[in-house]
Amino acid sequence: MNHSIDADDLLERFCRYVRLDTRSDPHSATCPSTPGQWDLLRLLESELKDIGAAEARLTSDGYVLATIPSTSNNNGIPRLAWFAHVDTATELPGGAKPIVHRKYDGKPIVLPDDITQQLTIETTPHLREKIGQDIITASGATLLGADDKSGVAVVMSAIRHLKNHPEIPHGIIRICFNPDEEIARGMTKLNLDELGADIGYTLDGEDLGAIDFETFSADAAVLEIRGVSIHPGLAKGVMVNALRLAGGFLSALPAEVSPERTSGRDGFIHPVELEGNADHCTVRLILRDFELNGLAAKRTAVERVVAGLRIVEPRAGFTLTFSEQYRNMRYWLENDMRPVEMAREAMRRAGLTPSSTAIRGGTDGSNLTARGLPCPNLFCGMREVHSRREWVSLQDMKKSAETLLHLAELWQEKTP
Ligand SMILES: [Zn+2]
């Protein structure tokens, strides 16, 4: 069976996609949040039709869906869905000028539009392992956008290969390219009935051979503080300053339970926004932990600080509300590890050593898994994401696409 992906096609696709500026915008209320994302979504819809994918369509909310029909007589094979997001990180401009460093020679890579941006084997993790490979960077003025256009290009290349090689046996494969992952709204408008899949895989991971199936569990908290206003000239004994209370609240949070002082499996409480004036203000926080009891303890810690403030300043009003953001996908996957085991075996067949670490964040798959579609995250080659030094190896992207081919075949092979 031919599982060798066409590297030239993969590279051309990747460069075509990263040239489009698809940065998302958390302040926009639309879906997709930015018009640039439509350009890539429309391009993908038309390329899927050219490749010969079935049922290719772009929804009014900006999701590109398509089907690769089954090539097997077995109707019981779980339907797979492959996901990648079209938007790029909000903090840096998109619209890269991709530069291909063929057969990388190990010398420093200087990005021409900003020569202070350099990649060297001494300072860039994993670059040394890629000597001899084809490295792609941006020019220094933008991010590259390999997060997640390497995932998009990998999925497109794998589909094209399957269409050109119908002798590879597999079940139904659904494709979904979604907007707005970087602003945590990637899956909000996706209709899972319309998607029609049993197992999902996001192509949005970094380390070669990585399968992520454990993420943070995440809550948000909002504290509204109402003080007492009066002209400062008449304020003695009357004014209650909401901003001073907010300052007291922030300094009473446990400093060691913060993102800047934790790593590994430790969670944190993280104030992200303060807004308001002396009369009233709002503090927004995010709470993270791998375990639900750890997350509950963080809610309790915040509640305790607010309870203390209520005693100190009974004239002020405090309203504290929590909301659930996403949950560790391990809670669902550990009941049925086949989606993870199958991906591990597919990577071995692609010549890789699979590895898994608990990721200190969430993925589109966290949301999907909690909604009933088990969805681990697979590597697709991206490195140093959300930076001007972002890079990717063409050979790593090729391995990722070949993993998908083995994965499709494995689910067929292992279904009685
Ligand atoms: Zn991503």
Side-chain angles (χ1 to χ4, degrees):
M1 220 75 77
N2 179 342
H3 293 108
S4 182
I5 289 283
D6 179 345
D8 295 335
D9 171 75
L10 176 56
L11 179 62
E12 273 172 37
R13 281 181 193 288
F14 177 76
C15 291
R16 192 153 66 234
Y17 305 155
V18 299
R19 283 192 187 97
L20 299 173
D21 185 351
T22 59
R23 179 155 60 152
S24 50
D25 176 5
H27 302 292
S28 158
T30 60
C31 182
S33 62
T34 50
Q37 294 182 66
W38 283 114
D39 296 339
L40 179 51
L41 290 163
R42 282 191 204 101
L43 176 67
L44 293 171
E45 182 197 20
S46 93
E47 288 188 0
L48 280 164
K49 286 176 176 163
D50 291 345
I51 287 173
E55 301 169 315
R57 81 179 195 94
L58 174 55
T59 75
S60 57
D61 294 315
Y63 293 79
V64 173
L65 302 174
T67 304
I68 311 303
S70 172
T71 55
S72 163
N73 297 326
N74 186 343
N75 294 325
I77 305 166
R79 297 163 300 173
L80 305 186
W82 294 341
F83 293 90
H85 65 91
V86 301
D87 65 317
T88 57
T90 60
E91 54 266 48
L92 282 170
K97 285 187 276 173
I99 302 170
V100 184
H101 311 265
R102 289 279 186 191
K103 294 199 174 58
Y104 174 55
D105 58 6
K107 293 187 186 133
I109 295 175
V110 180
L111 303 185
D113 289 344
D114 178 357
I115 57 167
T116 68
Q117 304 286 337
Q118 300 197 4
L119 290 84
T120 68
I121 52 174
E122 288 79 23
T123 57
T124 306
H126 303 287
L127 191 59
R128 189 185 298 271
E129 303 150 25
K130 310 301 173 190
I131 291 173
Q133 298 191 3
D134 303 315
I135 303 296
I136 307 138
T137 65
S139 64
T142 66
L143 47 64
L144 176 61
D147 178 6
D148 185 26
K149 289 164 185 175
S150 58
V152 174
V154 159
V155 169
M156 290 294 284
S157 291
I159 299 165
R160 178 172 174 270
H161 189 94
L162 288 177
K163 288 303 294 178
N164 290 343
H165 294 275
E167 73 278 10
I168 298 178
H170 61 82
I172 292 171
I173 297 164
R174 290 283 280 156
I175 307 303
C176 177
F177 296 121
N178 63 281
D180 292 336
E181 188 272 349
E182 300 289 357
I183 56 172
R185 306 205 300 240
M187 290 300 153
T188 43
K189 302 246 173 166
L190 179 67
N191 179 337
L192 287 187
D193 292 331
E194 184 182 3
L195 179 73
D198 302 302
I199 290 151
Y201 293 95
T202 51
L203 277 291
D204 196 13
E206 285 202 52
D207 288 348
L208 185 66
I211 305 164
D212 309 317
F213 64 95
E214 190 165 19
T215 59
F216 270 144
S217 284
D219 283 347
V222 180
L223 174 65
E224 289 170 293
I225 305 173
R226 283 182 316 283
V228 177
S229 289
I230 186 167
H231 188 286
L234 312 167
K236 187 173 185 191
V238 181
M239 180 184 280
V240 178
N241 188 324
L243 290 174
R244 288 189 186 273
L245 292 171
F249 167 73
L250 292 173
S251 61
L253 291 173
E256 67 282 3
V257 188
S258 59
E260 57 271 39
R261 296 208 194 165
T262 51
S263 61
R265 297 193 66 87
D266 293 328
F268 54 74
I269 299 168
H270 180 35
V272 291
E273 192 179 286
L274 169 62
E275 190 183 24
N277 54 36
D279 177 70
H280 60 272
C281 65
T282 304
V283 186
R284 291 175 200 282
L285 308 96
I286 60 172
L287 282 53
R288 298 289 186 264
D289 204 282
F290 285 102
E291 302 304 335
L292 289 177
N293 55 10
L295 195 63
K298 287 173 182 58
R299 282 194 184 206
T300 307
V302 176
E303 279 166 347
R304 216 175 269 143
V305 172
V306 174
L309 288 171
R310 282 200 178 100
I311 293 166
V312 171
E313 188 44 271
R315 294 172 297 169
F318 297 92
T319 311
L320 177 63
T321 48
F322 295 99
S323 57
E324 180 178 323
Q325 291 185 304
Y326 57 84
R327 291 292 176 254
N328 187 344
M329 61 170 86
R330 191 198 74 219
Y331 286 123
W332 289 268
L333 285 165
E334 65 192 357
N335 297 323
D336 181 0
M337 284 290 279
R338 281 183 311 156
V340 175
E341 293 300 340
M342 223 63 103
R344 284 184 176 143
E345 181 56 24
M347 286 187 190
R348 283 185 209 107
R349 288 190 183 184
L352 300 168
T353 306
S355 65
S356 299
T357 49
I359 52 173
R360 295 175 64 78
T363 67
D364 281 330
S366 312
N367 171 294
L368 293 171
T369 303
R371 283 164 69 189
L373 180 67
C375 193
N377 184 37
L378 308 181
F379 84 96
C380 57
M382 60 174 85
R383 296 287 185 178
E384 294 209 43
V385 300
H386 299 206
S387 84
R388 289 185 166 85
R389 290 184 319 281
E390 191 183 10
W391 59 281
V392 68
S393 141
L394 175 59
Q395 284 71 19
D396 287 359
M397 283 198 283
K398 187 170 183 288
K399 281 288 177 197
S400 175
E402 289 168 4
T403 296
L404 287 181
L405 303 180
H406 288 292
L407 189 57
E409 198 177 21
L410 261 168
W411 277 103
Q412 185 274 342
E413 191 183 307
K414 305 279 185 192
T415 305

